[in-house]
Amino acid sequence: MEVDIYDESFGPAAQVEQNYGLHPMLIDHVVERILESMDPELLGHYCKIFRCVSKDWCRVATRVYRQRRGRITFKKNFIGRVTELFIRVMRTSADIPFDKFRFCTDSYDDENFGDLLHECSGAIVNLELLLTNPCDLKFPKDFPDLVLGRLKCLTMHVRIDSQAELQPEMPSLLASLLRASPNLRRLDLKVFGGTPKTIQMMNIKHQLVKKFGDALVNNFPPSVKELKLNITLTDEQLLKLSEMQKDILSLEVYFQQSTFGQGTLQQLLESVAPTLLHCKAVGSQFLVDMNFPIFPRLQYLVALGRPPPLLCYKQVFPRLNKLEICLWDEDQQGSVFPDNCQSETVAEMDFPYAITKPLVITRISYCFQNLKILRNVIIGSFAAMSMIFEKLRSLSELDVYLGAEFHDIERRGLAVDAVFTGFPPEMCEWLLRHKEYCSSPSTLVQRWEHKSSLRRLRNLKTLRLSACHMRSASTIRLTDITVNFALLQMENLERLHLDFFPVSCLLF
């Protein structure tokens, strides 16, 4: 059970310095209380304003912001004179309190962007740029003297207007930031936009995206260990990037719009395979005929798209611990869990799709015999749920969404209780008439212990049962029968989350 503990020694009263006293009307004390009770979405904006008032307010706002959020966000209402004043405060501050900067721009004008970036460059650890092309944000084409020595994480997402002309400052900004960041560890680059309506606009968008790709590969910092790319790359760009990526630990790539060949992707995988720990590949149609290298250290794999039919998990991923599978077809479950995809190391799986056929659960249990955690799976039938209890007995955590059959008005009644307890529906009906057995269930539990039920998951510590998306949790009917003969019989269960409240059998 998770419990939030409040320590009075760190309370607001203890944070006010003694030389100010503890009078409730003391202005900085009031400011502190206002900021602490403020909505998190408004906190950043008002902390910036309060810091510009006085040294005392600056100190209070700084402390509260560090405790609650630790990030400063510049939106289109933070412009003009306010920006200038903020820059002046930063110049007189011995310790810039913010290490996370986030710029959200749609179409706003701030000529102080360059000055602001330079003034705070020594303090920035996490920089987010959420931009739109074209953008009125005033930044130069280059920052030759910019040094982001502390920058560890750079996120740059650019949305391209489908009618946009080329704005060369954007790719130049990316190049400058990469060159100025010798210690960058994580890079998240995304360039996206609407579908162009004319050939001319398609060519313009292609030119712009290619500029971003060139800025990336020509200035890629060797210090980067975590790379997330959602951008169209050419064969030449990807090959050049492959030559630089020798020590990547985490790779997340989206291939949907790319047109490079199998050989190019093969070289990329071979370059990152020795060190890669985390991999997410979207659009894995590129991987169908791939001759996979061995990933000796890979622990987490997200495969969005049907995996190759001849992929041997045990040999290719000898240390794989967590697997997430998406975009599959239940009628072709053999292509998702073929015989050759067995793995003794996979202990955790996310499977965010509906399962109605018990055979799918059987295949999962066959391929991953040491599975401990199963999350985000939608169970659409009683038979599939019973098969989980029957086949996946090693589970310590189960997170499922109850699908169509559990919401069926004609069948739900005591049939839902029957699935979880292992009792036949007629036995559940009998318990309604003999409620005294609910207070001493041990005899009945022993009698039906051999039946498939929740009780078979003896190692289960965490259980989450939720209503399927787009369905009301109130239509799921669990009663005290399930509570007494299933949930309360789980000796190792530590955490239980129910999206619905069990109805007492006394109400029937």
Side-chain angles (χ1 to χ4, degrees):
M1 179 180 296
E2 293 183 350
V3 179
D4 292 329
I5 300 177
Y6 179 75
D7 188 344
E8 292 183 355
S9 63
F10 294 96
Q15 294 168 355
V16 180
E17 296 181 5
Q18 292 298 321
N19 59 333
Y20 285 94
L22 295 177
H23 194 282
M25 294 303 293
L26 193 63
I27 187 63
D28 62 341
H29 184 63
V30 174
V31 169
E32 183 175 32
R33 290 302 182 95
I34 291 174
L35 293 175
E36 286 179 344
S37 61
M38 189 171 291
D39 186 285
E41 295 299 321
L42 301 175
L43 181 63
H45 172 68
Y46 283 100
C47 275
K48 288 179 288 188
I49 295 177
F50 280 34
R51 278 180 55 86
C52 297
V53 175
S54 68
K55 290 184 178 180
D56 290 339
W57 284 30
C58 177
R59 174 181 51 80
V60 174
T62 297
R63 180 171 63 243
V64 174
Y65 194 90
R66 278 177 168 170
Q67 292 172 346
R68 291 195 58 193
R69 194 167 179 182
R71 184 185 73 188
I72 186 167
T73 299
F74 299 87
K75 297 185 178 180
K76 54 188 175 183
N77 58 349
F78 191 79
I79 58 177
R81 184 175 178 278
V82 178
T83 311
E84 296 176 0
L85 184 56
F86 182 81
I87 292 174
R88 290 204 300 270
V89 172
M90 292 297 100
R91 286 175 179 166
T92 59
S93 176
D95 177 22
I96 295 179
F98 309 107
D99 58 12
K100 301 177 183 178
F101 284 71
R102 187 171 187 258
F103 292 87
C104 303
T105 71
D106 189 3
S107 179
Y108 88 98
D109 184 359
D110 191 348
E111 298 181 357
N112 298 288
F113 174 78
D115 291 338
L116 180 61
L117 196 59
H118 277 87
E119 196 61 46
C120 300
S121 60
I124 301 177
V125 175
N126 189 325
L127 178 60
E128 294 183 50
L129 295 168
L130 310 181
L131 310 176
T132 302
N133 180 84
C135 176
D136 293 332
L137 190 65
K138 297 298 187 296
F139 47 76
K141 292 184 178 180
D142 197 9
F143 292 90
D145 58 339
L146 182 65
V147 178
L148 297 167
R150 295 186 61 198
L151 186 64
K152 299 294 184 183
C153 180
L154 173 60
T155 299
M156 187 170 181
H157 293 178
V158 180
R159 179 171 60 85
I160 302 175
D161 192 326
S162 59
Q163 306 297 325
E165 296 291 338
L166 180 63
Q167 188 176 13
E169 291 86 355
M170 290 253 183
S172 298
L173 174 63
L174 173 63
S176 295
L177 293 175
L178 294 178
R179 287 196 301 266
S181 308
N183 299 311
L184 188 66
R185 181 175 178 84
R186 186 178 191 275
L187 175 60
D188 178 356
L189 177 61
K190 179 179 181 180
V191 181
F192 62 105
T195 303
K197 297 181 179 179
T198 65
I199 298 296
Q200 180 182 7
M201 290 299 171
M202 289 181 63
N203 293 333
I204 291 175
K205 181 178 179 181
H206 177 73
Q207 294 174 14
L208 179 57
V209 174
K210 189 175 184 301
K211 288 283 188 179
F212 277 103
D214 290 338
L216 171 68
V217 300
N218 292 330
N219 302 277
F220 190 81
S223 59
V224 171
K225 305 298 181 186
E226 302 175 32
L227 180 61
K228 181 177 179 180
L229 292 179
N230 190 344
I231 181 175
T232 303
L233 296 175
T234 65
D235 281 86
E236 181 182 359
Q237 291 169 342
L238 192 61
L239 285 172
K240 192 170 183 178
L241 193 61
S242 301
E243 297 173 357
M244 304 174 184
Q245 297 185 43
K246 302 301 182 183
D247 300 311
I248 296 294
L249 302 179
S250 176
L251 178 64
E252 187 171 335
V253 287
Y254 293 77
F255 294 137
Q256 298 99 317
Q257 305 298 325
S258 299
T259 57
F260 45 75
Q262 292 280 2
T264 306
L265 184 58
Q266 179 81 35
Q267 184 168 333
L268 174 66
L269 295 179
E270 290 175 353
S271 67
V272 301
T275 59
L276 202 62
L277 299 177
H278 176 288
C279 182
K280 181 173 183 178
V282 182
S284 57
Q285 65 271 18
F286 289 91
L287 309 178
V288 174
D289 300 320
M290 187 69 60
N291 182 20
F292 279 87
I294 295 177
F295 293 78
R297 302 178 62 193
L298 191 70
Q299 299 176 8
Y300 180 24
L301 174 65
V302 182
L304 278 78
R306 292 193 180 95
L310 300 179
L311 181 60
C312 183
Y313 282 47
K314 183 183 296 186
Q315 295 180 6
V316 177
F317 310 114
R319 295 188 179 183
L320 187 64
N321 180 261
K322 182 177 179 181
L323 178 65
E324 182 176 340
I325 294 181
C326 302
L327 302 180
W328 78 300
D329 186 349
E330 188 176 21
D331 294 328
Q332 300 180 7
Q333 68 270 7
S335 66
V336 180
F337 304 116
D339 292 340
N340 64 328
C341 82
Q342 282 185 300
S343 174
E344 297 175 355
T345 60
V346 171
E348 185 174 348
M349 178 184 291
D350 277 33
F351 197 77
Y353 285 85
I355 296 178
T356 58
K357 299 180 180 179
L359 179 59
V360 178
I361 304 298
T362 303
R363 296 299 304 170
I364 292 177
S365 66
Y366 171 78
C367 293
F368 311 109
Q369 298 180 6
N370 295 318
L371 191 66
K372 305 295 183 185
I373 300 173
L374 180 61
R375 293 196 187 101
N376 295 324
V377 61
I378 302 172
I379 301 299
S381 69
F382 294 157
M385 179 63 82
S386 295
M387 192 57 66
I388 289 180
F389 302 151
E390 180 70 26
K391 296 293 185 181
L392 303 180
R393 299 189 191 181
S394 61
L395 288 180
S396 61
E397 181 176 337
L398 178 61
D399 177 7
V400 298
Y401 294 87
L402 303 181
E405 203 161 2
F406 292 86
H407 297 264
D408 190 340
I409 298 178
E410 299 297 329
R411 302 187 58 181
R412 66 191 184 198
L414 298 175
V416 179
D417 287 315
V419 173
F420 286 96
T421 62
F423 300 163
E426 53 271 20
M427 173 63 73
C428 295
E429 187 176 355
W430 180 83
L431 286 171
L432 292 180
R433 299 193 300 268
H434 300 80
K435 301 178 179 62
E436 62 274 10
Y437 282 93
C438 289
S439 58
S440 56
S442 57
T443 303
L444 286 176
V445 168
Q446 293 175 3
R447 177 180 176 184
W448 297 93
E449 194 66 41
H450 64 284
K451 294 293 184 179
S452 176
S453 69
L454 179 65
R455 296 187 302 276
R456 288 208 161 192
L457 304 182
R458 300 186 184 279
N459 299 319
L460 197 65
K461 294 183 178 181
T462 300
L463 175 62
R464 181 185 178 95
L465 299 176
S466 305
C468 185
H469 302 299
M470 305 302 293
R471 294 181 180 271
S472 173
S474 62
T475 61
I476 300 177
R477 294 296 182 184
L478 281 185
T479 73
D480 285 355
I481 296 175
T482 293
V483 173
N484 287 286
F485 294 94
L487 296 177
L488 293 180
Q489 304 303 314
M490 306 296 291
E491 296 181 357
N492 295 316
L493 193 64
E494 299 175 355
R495 183 180 301 172
L496 174 64
H497 174 93
L498 296 178
D499 199 19
F500 38 83
F501 193 82
V503 180
S504 173
C505 60
L506 299 176
L507 300 178
F508 281 78

